[in-house]
Amino acid sequence: GVQNTIEEGVALLDKAFGEYGINFLDTAEIYPVPTSEETQGDTDRCVCEFLKNRKRNEVILATKVAGRSPTLTYLPRGENADREEG
C-alpha cells in the first residue's frame, strides 16, 4: 500500500500471527485506504504472500469486495477485468 511495502506487510502479519497469537485477518479489495489505481490490489498481494507460508487452518480470513462506483473505474469489473489473469 502507501504505508509500507508488500514485504513489510508480510513481516508484520508474520509477527502478529507468529508472536502474538492473532488468527483473524480482515481485509478488503478496496484497501489500502485511500484507494488509488496505483495501489489497488496491493493488500491482496500482501495477504497472498503471507498465506503462502501458513497452514490454511491457522488463519480466519474475512474479505469484502467494493461496490460499483463511477470513480473506481480501475477495479477489475467486467470490461475492466484483466483477461490474462482470469
XYZ file of all heavy atoms in Angstrom:
668
model
N 0.801 -1.187 0.000
C 0.000 0.000 0.000
C 0.845 1.251 0.000
O 1.931 1.267 -0.548
N 0.357 2.257 0.629
C 1.085 3.523 0.677
C 1.862 3.665 1.974
O 2.683 4.555 2.093
C 0.132 4.729 0.500
C -0.493 4.728 -0.886
C -0.951 4.749 1.546
N 1.600 2.815 2.950
C 2.256 2.950 4.237
C 3.434 2.013 4.407
O 4.326 2.285 5.205
C 1.239 2.736 5.355
C 0.166 3.807 5.313
C -1.046 3.435 6.145
O -1.258 2.274 6.451
N -1.828 4.427 6.488
N 3.457 0.917 3.692
C 4.589 0.006 3.739
C 4.613 -0.845 2.476
O 3.674 -0.854 1.703
C 4.575 -0.858 5.001
C 3.285 -1.610 5.190
O 2.534 -1.817 4.256
N 3.023 -2.031 6.397
N 5.694 -1.556 2.299
C 5.840 -2.418 1.134
C 5.112 -3.747 1.382
O 4.734 -4.054 2.519
C 7.322 -2.713 0.852
O 7.840 -3.485 1.953
C 8.124 -1.430 0.676
N 4.980 -4.516 0.340
C 4.377 -5.840 0.490
C 5.221 -6.685 1.440
O 4.694 -7.370 2.315
C 4.201 -6.514 -0.882
C 3.098 -5.781 -1.661
C 3.873 -8.000 -0.733
C 2.909 -6.236 -3.087
N 6.524 -6.591 1.323
C 7.419 -7.356 2.197
C 7.248 -6.946 3.658
O 7.230 -7.792 4.552
C 8.874 -7.180 1.754
C 9.191 -7.772 0.407
C 8.723 -6.925 -0.784
O 8.426 -5.718 -0.612
O 8.632 -7.488 -1.887
N 7.135 -5.647 3.913
C 6.922 -5.169 5.284
C 5.567 -5.634 5.817
O 5.443 -6.014 6.977
C 7.008 -3.646 5.346
C 8.398 -3.111 5.112
C 8.435 -1.612 4.863
O 7.419 -1.034 4.414
O 9.498 -1.016 5.106
N 4.555 -5.614 4.955
C 3.233 -6.078 5.357
C 3.248 -7.549 5.741
O 2.661 -7.949 6.751
N 3.938 -8.360 4.948
C 4.051 -9.790 5.254
C 4.781 -9.984 6.583
O 4.362 -10.789 7.425
C 4.753 -10.550 4.105
C 5.063 -11.987 4.519
C 3.902 -10.530 2.848
N 5.850 -9.226 6.793
C 6.606 -9.330 8.046
C 5.720 -8.967 9.250
O 5.780 -9.636 10.293
C 7.845 -8.443 7.994
N 4.900 -7.934 9.110
C 4.000 -7.544 10.196
C 2.962 -8.629 10.472
O 2.668 -8.954 11.628
C 3.304 -6.228 9.858
C 4.174 -4.983 9.922
C 3.439 -3.787 9.323
C 4.603 -4.691 11.344
N 2.408 -9.206 9.412
C 1.435 -10.287 9.590
C 2.085 -11.512 10.221
O 1.512 -12.140 11.112
C 0.784 -10.650 8.257
C -0.190 -9.619 7.695
C -0.561 -9.966 6.256
C -1.419 -9.504 8.571
N 3.297 -11.844 9.775
C 4.022 -12.972 10.366
C 4.228 -12.759 11.859
O 4.049 -13.674 12.665
C 5.375 -13.174 9.675
C 5.257 -13.875 8.341
O 4.265 -14.602 8.115
O 6.184 -13.702 7.515
N 4.601 -11.546 12.237
C 4.820 -11.240 13.652
C 3.508 -11.333 14.441
O 3.459 -11.924 15.513
C 5.426 -9.848 13.807
C 5.818 -9.506 15.233
C 6.564 -8.191 15.287
C 7.069 -7.921 16.667
N 8.416 -8.362 16.901
N 2.441 -10.754 13.907
C 1.143 -10.774 14.593
C 0.654 -12.200 14.800
O 0.203 -12.561 15.891
C 0.121 -9.970 13.797
N 0.746 -13.014 13.765
C 0.252 -14.385 13.851
C 1.223 -15.288 14.596
O 0.805 -16.164 15.347
C -0.024 -14.940 12.445
C -1.350 -14.507 11.887
C -1.553 -13.211 11.457
C -2.400 -15.398 11.793
C -2.771 -12.808 10.940
C -3.633 -15.016 11.277
C -3.819 -13.700 10.852
N 2.520 -15.080 14.401
C 3.522 -15.961 14.995
C 3.846 -15.654 16.440
O 4.073 -16.565 17.242
N 3.866 -14.372 16.806
C 4.297 -13.993 18.147
C 3.169 -13.555 19.075
O 3.311 -13.617 20.294
C 5.341 -12.871 18.062
C 6.626 -13.306 17.384
C 7.654 -12.200 17.317
O 7.637 -11.309 18.197
O 8.464 -12.219 16.368
N 2.075 -13.087 18.521
C 1.013 -12.527 19.348
C -0.289 -13.321 19.318
O -1.279 -12.904 19.907
C 0.744 -11.067 18.947
C 1.929 -10.188 19.245
C 2.813 -9.832 18.234
C 2.184 -9.738 20.533
C 3.908 -9.032 18.502
C 3.287 -8.941 20.811
C 4.146 -8.595 19.792
O 5.240 -7.818 20.062
N -0.295 -14.429 18.620
C -1.455 -15.297 18.640
C -2.662 -14.816 17.848
O -3.760 -15.323 18.021
N -2.453 -13.843 16.981
C -3.548 -13.374 16.135
C -3.922 -14.498 15.172
O -3.061 -15.213 14.670
C -3.127 -12.112 15.347
C -2.719 -10.984 16.294
C -4.210 -11.682 14.376
C -3.794 -10.491 17.204
N -5.217 -14.673 14.915
C -5.628 -15.695 13.950
C -6.716 -15.193 13.000
O -7.212 -15.948 12.177
C -6.094 -16.962 14.659
C -7.421 -16.774 15.370
O -7.890 -15.656 15.595
N -8.038 -17.886 15.749
N -7.111 -13.923 13.109
C -8.195 -13.360 12.297
C -7.652 -12.212 11.464
O -7.000 -11.303 11.998
C -9.320 -12.848 13.207
C -10.522 -12.355 12.454
C -11.529 -13.224 12.083
C -10.643 -11.024 12.106
C -12.649 -12.768 11.385
C -11.749 -10.558 11.419
C -12.752 -11.434 11.051
N -7.896 -12.256 10.180
C -7.426 -11.219 9.269
C -8.622 -10.680 8.489
O -9.312 -11.429 7.796
C -6.382 -11.797 8.306
C -5.774 -10.858 7.286
C -5.103 -9.662 7.959
C -4.767 -11.609 6.430
N -8.875 -9.388 8.631
C -9.979 -8.724 7.947
C -9.387 -7.842 6.859
O -8.563 -6.971 7.138
C -10.776 -7.888 8.941
C -11.944 -7.169 8.291
O -12.526 -7.727 7.341
O -12.268 -6.059 8.729
N -9.770 -8.064 5.640
C -9.222 -7.308 4.526
C -10.336 -6.964 3.543
O -11.465 -7.372 3.718
C -8.079 -8.089 3.833
O -7.457 -7.252 2.868
C -8.574 -9.368 3.203
N -9.999 -6.194 2.537
C -10.990 -5.812 1.528
C -10.287 -5.466 0.226
O -9.140 -5.026 0.221
C -11.823 -4.624 1.996
N -10.999 -5.649 -0.842
C -10.479 -5.339 -2.177
C -10.065 -3.873 -2.290
O -9.141 -3.536 -3.012
C -11.576 -5.664 -3.184
C -11.305 -5.213 -4.573
C -12.486 -5.465 -5.479
O -13.634 -5.210 -5.090
O -12.234 -5.925 -6.593
N -10.738 -3.014 -1.573
C -10.508 -1.584 -1.728
C -9.332 -1.074 -0.877
O -8.934 0.074 -0.982
C -11.794 -0.792 -1.444
C -11.724 0.562 -2.096
C -12.084 -0.729 0.027
C -13.065 1.164 -2.389
N -8.783 -1.911 -0.003
C -7.621 -1.492 0.784
C -6.410 -1.452 -0.123
O -6.301 -2.254 -1.035
C -7.368 -2.456 1.927
C -8.452 -2.530 2.971
C -8.481 -3.567 3.878
C -9.447 -1.584 3.049
C -9.469 -3.650 4.844
C -10.439 -1.665 4.016
C -10.441 -2.699 4.901
O -11.415 -2.782 5.848
N -5.429 -0.628 0.051
C -5.282 0.343 1.129
C -6.156 1.578 0.918
O -6.555 1.883 -0.190
C -3.816 0.725 1.072
C -3.429 0.558 -0.350
C -4.268 -0.579 -0.859
N -6.411 2.253 2.016
C -7.206 3.478 2.012
C -6.269 4.641 2.271
O -5.453 4.565 3.177
C -8.306 3.400 3.093
C -9.052 4.715 3.215
C -9.259 2.250 2.792
N -6.324 5.713 1.544
C -7.246 5.951 0.440
C -6.850 5.111 -0.775
O -5.674 4.904 -1.048
C -7.117 7.452 0.150
C -5.731 7.793 0.596
C -5.431 6.872 1.758
N -7.843 4.648 -1.474
C -7.594 3.794 -2.631
C -7.136 4.605 -3.834
O -7.461 5.777 -3.961
C -8.865 2.994 -2.970
O -8.540 2.056 -3.978
C -9.989 3.865 -3.437
N -6.336 3.964 -4.657
C -5.880 4.605 -5.889
C -5.592 3.524 -6.912
O -5.392 2.350 -6.569
C -4.625 5.442 -5.650
O -3.502 4.612 -5.456
N -5.557 3.907 -8.142
C -5.270 2.948 -9.208
C -3.895 2.317 -9.020
O -3.695 1.139 -9.285
C -5.368 3.641 -10.565
C -5.200 2.698 -11.727
C -5.501 3.342 -13.064
O -5.782 4.554 -13.105
O -5.456 2.616 -14.073
N -2.942 3.108 -8.537
C -1.562 2.626 -8.384
C -1.420 1.574 -7.285
O -0.560 0.709 -7.368
C -0.612 3.797 -8.089
C -0.495 4.801 -9.217
C -1.708 5.730 -9.329
O -2.334 6.040 -8.301
O -2.049 6.108 -10.455
N -2.236 1.647 -6.242
C -2.082 0.717 -5.122
C -3.195 -0.329 -5.045
O -3.107 -1.242 -4.216
C -2.038 1.481 -3.784
O -3.257 2.205 -3.617
C -0.851 2.432 -3.725
N -4.218 -0.234 -5.890
C -5.318 -1.193 -5.851
C -4.768 -2.598 -6.024
O -3.990 -2.872 -6.923
C -6.336 -0.877 -6.953
C -7.628 -1.649 -6.850
C -7.558 -3.039 -7.449
O -6.890 -3.279 -8.438
N -8.265 -3.960 -6.837
N -5.129 -3.488 -5.119
C -4.677 -4.875 -5.186
C -3.440 -5.168 -4.366
O -3.106 -6.327 -4.147
N -2.747 -4.144 -3.877
C -1.524 -4.380 -3.098
C -1.808 -5.156 -1.816
O -1.041 -6.031 -1.431
C -0.809 -3.071 -2.763
C -0.028 -2.512 -3.931
O 0.039 -3.179 -4.994
O 0.536 -1.404 -3.793
N -2.904 -4.833 -1.140
C -3.231 -5.557 0.088
C -3.496 -7.021 -0.224
O -3.035 -7.908 0.492
C -4.439 -4.912 0.790
O -4.083 -3.573 1.145
C -4.834 -5.685 2.037
N -4.210 -7.287 -1.302
C -4.453 -8.680 -1.707
C -3.148 -9.407 -1.988
O -2.978 -10.571 -1.618
C -5.337 -8.741 -2.944
C -6.780 -8.370 -2.666
O -7.180 -8.346 -1.487
O -7.507 -8.105 -3.631
N -2.214 -8.738 -2.655
C -0.916 -9.356 -2.945
C -0.149 -9.650 -1.655
O 0.496 -10.695 -1.519
C -0.114 -8.474 -3.892
C -0.634 -8.526 -5.326
C 0.228 -7.719 -6.290
N -0.153 -6.320 -6.300
C -1.203 -5.829 -6.950
N -1.991 -6.635 -7.637
N -1.470 -4.547 -6.928
N -0.230 -8.745 -0.695
C 0.428 -8.941 0.598
C -0.172 -10.147 1.321
O 0.565 -11.009 1.814
C 0.287 -7.669 1.439
S 0.958 -7.817 3.098
N -1.485 -10.215 1.394
C -2.160 -11.324 2.057
C -1.824 -12.636 1.355
O -1.573 -13.657 2.004
C -3.685 -11.092 2.124
C -4.421 -12.333 2.596
C -3.991 -9.901 3.030
N -1.788 -12.622 0.044
C -1.443 -13.818 -0.728
C -0.042 -14.324 -0.360
O 0.154 -15.507 -0.110
C -1.526 -13.514 -2.216
S -1.130 -14.905 -3.279
N 0.911 -13.420 -0.308
C 2.283 -13.807 0.056
C 2.333 -14.344 1.478
O 3.024 -15.327 1.758
C 3.239 -12.622 -0.102
C 3.531 -12.266 -1.542
C 4.127 -13.427 -2.328
O 5.081 -14.082 -1.843
O 3.623 -13.712 -3.433
N 1.627 -13.704 2.387
C 1.576 -14.147 3.777
C 0.996 -15.561 3.878
O 1.529 -16.415 4.582
C 0.736 -13.159 4.596
C 0.318 -13.672 5.931
C 1.229 -13.815 6.960
C -1.009 -14.019 6.164
C 0.829 -14.293 8.199
C -1.413 -14.491 7.399
C -0.488 -14.631 8.416
N -0.099 -15.816 3.163
C -0.770 -17.116 3.246
C 0.062 -18.252 2.661
O -0.135 -19.412 3.037
C -2.129 -17.052 2.558
C -3.194 -16.232 3.281
C -4.446 -16.120 2.416
C -3.521 -16.814 4.640
N 0.992 -17.945 1.790
C 1.836 -18.990 1.187
C 2.651 -19.740 2.238
O 3.024 -20.888 2.020
C 2.781 -18.385 0.149
C 2.087 -18.003 -1.130
C 3.081 -17.405 -2.110
C 2.389 -16.977 -3.399
N 3.355 -16.364 -4.338
N 2.931 -19.089 3.360
C 3.761 -19.695 4.405
C 2.955 -20.087 5.640
O 3.523 -20.278 6.716
C 4.884 -18.735 4.800
C 5.820 -18.480 3.650
O 6.243 -19.400 2.964
N 6.137 -17.219 3.405
N 1.647 -20.187 5.492
C 0.764 -20.531 6.613
C -0.086 -21.740 6.256
O -0.450 -21.933 5.100
C -0.187 -19.382 6.931
C 0.462 -18.181 7.497
C 0.604 -18.317 8.984
N 1.669 -17.427 9.413
C 2.249 -17.504 10.572
N 1.891 -18.417 11.428
N 3.210 -16.682 10.896
N -0.416 -22.515 7.257
C -1.415 -23.559 7.070
C -2.767 -22.870 7.038
O -3.036 -21.969 7.832
C -1.355 -24.570 8.210
C -0.078 -25.368 8.222
C -0.064 -26.316 9.386
C 1.260 -27.073 9.398
N 1.417 -27.849 10.629
N -3.616 -23.288 6.142
C -4.911 -22.622 5.962
C -5.753 -22.637 7.236
O -6.477 -21.693 7.523
C -5.675 -23.266 4.796
C -6.974 -22.578 4.457
C -6.733 -21.103 4.097
N -7.967 -20.380 3.931
C -8.574 -19.673 4.882
N -8.062 -19.629 6.093
N -9.679 -19.038 4.636
N -5.630 -23.674 8.049
C -6.435 -23.737 9.270
C -5.909 -22.822 10.374
O -6.505 -22.730 11.440
C -6.573 -25.177 9.768
C -5.251 -25.765 10.227
O -4.199 -25.168 10.080
N -5.317 -26.971 10.761
N -4.810 -22.119 10.141
C -4.258 -21.170 11.114
C -4.819 -19.759 10.939
O -4.587 -18.906 11.785
C -2.731 -21.081 10.976
C -1.987 -22.342 11.279
C -0.501 -22.227 11.017
O -0.054 -21.276 10.333
O 0.225 -23.102 11.495
N -5.531 -19.524 9.842
C -5.957 -18.168 9.519
C -7.465 -18.120 9.265
O -7.975 -18.849 8.416
C -5.221 -17.644 8.267
C -5.662 -16.229 7.930
C -3.708 -17.709 8.452
N -8.142 -17.259 10.003
C -9.537 -16.947 9.704
C -9.490 -15.689 8.853
O -9.012 -14.647 9.300
C -10.348 -16.715 10.986
C -10.323 -17.967 11.855
C -11.778 -16.293 10.640
C -10.859 -17.761 13.249
N -9.949 -15.797 7.628
C -9.833 -14.699 6.667
C -11.211 -14.156 6.312
O -12.083 -14.895 5.864
C -9.136 -15.186 5.396
C -8.919 -14.174 4.295
C -7.999 -13.058 4.744
C -8.365 -14.863 3.057
N -11.395 -12.860 6.541
C -12.628 -12.171 6.146
C -12.263 -11.163 5.076
O -11.263 -10.451 5.195
C -13.242 -11.456 7.352
N -13.040 -11.111 4.023
C -12.756 -10.161 2.954
C -14.059 -9.635 2.379
O -15.123 -10.206 2.595
C -11.868 -10.785 1.860
O -11.440 -9.755 0.974
C -12.571 -11.888 1.121
N -13.946 -8.542 1.682
C -15.110 -7.887 1.091
C -14.738 -7.392 -0.303
O -13.569 -7.210 -0.591
C -15.524 -6.685 1.956
C -15.884 -7.072 3.378
C -15.678 -5.943 4.368
C -14.279 -5.567 4.694
N -13.435 -6.461 5.407
N -15.729 -7.159 -1.121
C -15.493 -6.545 -2.426
C -16.131 -5.162 -2.431
O -17.079 -4.905 -1.689
C -16.049 -7.388 -3.598
C -15.329 -8.716 -3.690
C -17.539 -7.591 -3.466
N -15.612 -4.294 -3.250
C -16.149 -2.936 -3.358
C -17.343 -2.925 -4.298
O -17.392 -3.686 -5.263
C -15.070 -1.994 -3.885
N -18.289 -2.064 -3.997
C -19.427 -1.900 -4.895
C -19.035 -1.092 -6.114
O -17.979 -0.464 -6.162
N -19.869 -1.133 -7.105
C -19.612 -0.360 -8.323
C -19.639 1.129 -8.009
O -20.442 1.595 -7.216
C -20.626 -0.681 -9.389
C -20.526 -2.093 -9.892
C -21.513 -2.328 -11.030
N -21.462 -3.697 -11.443
C -20.651 -4.175 -12.388
N -19.833 -3.368 -13.004
N -20.679 -5.447 -12.717
N -18.739 1.841 -8.652
C -18.680 3.284 -8.462
C -18.089 3.915 -9.712
O -17.090 3.417 -10.245
C -17.795 3.628 -7.264
O -17.541 5.010 -7.215
N -18.659 5.013 -10.176
C -18.110 5.662 -11.367
C -16.712 6.226 -11.136
O -15.978 6.460 -12.079
C -19.114 6.771 -11.687
C -19.952 6.927 -10.481
C -19.872 5.663 -9.696
N -16.314 6.403 -9.877
C -14.971 6.932 -9.595
C -13.919 5.845 -9.443
O -12.736 6.132 -9.423
C -14.987 7.800 -8.321
O -15.387 6.970 -7.220
C -15.925 8.977 -8.466
N -14.339 4.588 -9.340
C -13.399 3.474 -9.178
C -13.326 2.645 -10.457
O -13.479 1.429 -10.439
C -13.798 2.606 -7.985
C -13.848 3.294 -6.627
C -14.361 2.344 -5.561
C -12.489 3.848 -6.248
N -13.074 3.288 -11.549
C -13.086 2.621 -12.848
C -11.941 1.631 -13.026
O -11.974 0.814 -13.940
C -13.016 3.660 -13.981
O -11.828 4.441 -13.806
C -14.237 4.567 -13.958
N -10.943 1.671 -12.169
C -9.784 0.787 -12.302
C -9.976 -0.559 -11.597
O -9.153 -1.440 -11.722
C -8.528 1.468 -11.754
C -8.721 2.084 -10.394
C -8.589 1.333 -9.242
C -9.054 3.424 -10.271
C -8.786 1.901 -8.003
C -9.242 3.999 -9.026
C -9.102 3.228 -7.893
O -9.291 3.810 -6.682
N -11.067 -0.734 -10.849
C -11.300 -2.025 -10.219
C -11.621 -3.067 -11.285
O -12.256 -2.761 -12.296
C -12.446 -1.938 -9.210
C -12.155 -1.122 -7.960
C -13.393 -1.089 -7.067
C -10.971 -1.659 -7.201
N -11.192 -4.315 -11.083
C -11.402 -5.349 -12.100
C -12.856 -5.810 -12.182
O -13.265 -6.723 -11.489
C -10.484 -6.485 -11.636
C -10.341 -6.281 -10.171
C -10.445 -4.804 -9.933
N -13.628 -5.152 -13.009
C -15.043 -5.475 -13.191
C -15.343 -5.556 -14.682
O -14.987 -4.648 -15.432
C -15.941 -4.375 -12.621
C -15.792 -4.120 -11.173
C -16.567 -5.202 -10.393
N -16.588 -4.916 -8.999
C -15.560 -5.155 -8.180
N -14.460 -5.685 -8.626
N -15.648 -4.868 -6.904
N -16.013 -6.583 -15.078
C -16.491 -6.681 -16.451
C -15.465 -6.262 -17.480
O -14.454 -6.914 -17.673
N -15.723 -5.138 -18.123
C -14.832 -4.671 -19.188
C -13.463 -4.260 -18.668
O -12.500 -4.162 -19.421
C -15.467 -3.510 -19.973
C -15.642 -2.213 -19.189
C -16.882 -2.181 -18.306
O -17.668 -3.149 -18.302
O -17.057 -1.179 -17.600
N -13.330 -4.046 -17.348
C -12.032 -3.669 -16.775
C -11.203 -4.883 -16.349
O -10.066 -4.741 -15.951
C -12.227 -2.774 -15.540
C -12.884 -1.465 -15.906
O -12.697 -0.951 -16.990
N -13.659 -0.928 -14.990
N -11.793 -6.079 -16.382
C -11.098 -7.280 -15.927
C -9.917 -7.596 -16.832
O -9.977 -7.434 -18.035
C -12.059 -8.465 -15.878
N -8.860 -8.069 -16.209
C -7.668 -8.483 -16.944
C -7.892 -9.909 -17.431
O -7.870 -10.850 -16.661
C -6.437 -8.401 -16.044
C -5.142 -8.704 -16.779
O -5.193 -9.309 -17.867
O -4.077 -8.345 -16.257
N -8.130 -10.059 -18.701
C -8.438 -11.382 -19.269
C -7.272 -12.344 -19.105
O -7.449 -13.549 -19.032
C -8.780 -11.264 -20.749
C -9.917 -10.300 -21.037
C -11.249 -10.858 -20.559
N -12.295 -9.899 -20.886
C -13.254 -9.543 -20.062
N -13.321 -10.050 -18.874
N -14.160 -8.672 -20.422
N -6.042 -11.825 -19.017
C -4.863 -12.689 -18.849
C -4.854 -13.343 -17.468
O -4.395 -14.456 -17.324
C -3.597 -11.845 -19.031
C -3.474 -11.185 -20.384
C -2.636 -11.987 -21.334
O -1.730 -12.661 -20.876
O -2.908 -11.929 -22.543
N -5.326 -12.621 -16.438
C -5.294 -13.143 -15.077
C -6.530 -13.979 -14.766
O -6.574 -14.656 -13.758
C -5.178 -11.995 -14.072
C -3.831 -11.311 -14.127
C -3.682 -10.269 -13.034
O -4.485 -10.275 -12.075
O -2.771 -9.454 -13.143
N -7.539 -13.952 -15.608
C -8.734 -14.740 -15.372
C -9.729 -13.937 -14.660
O -10.564 -14.141 -13.973
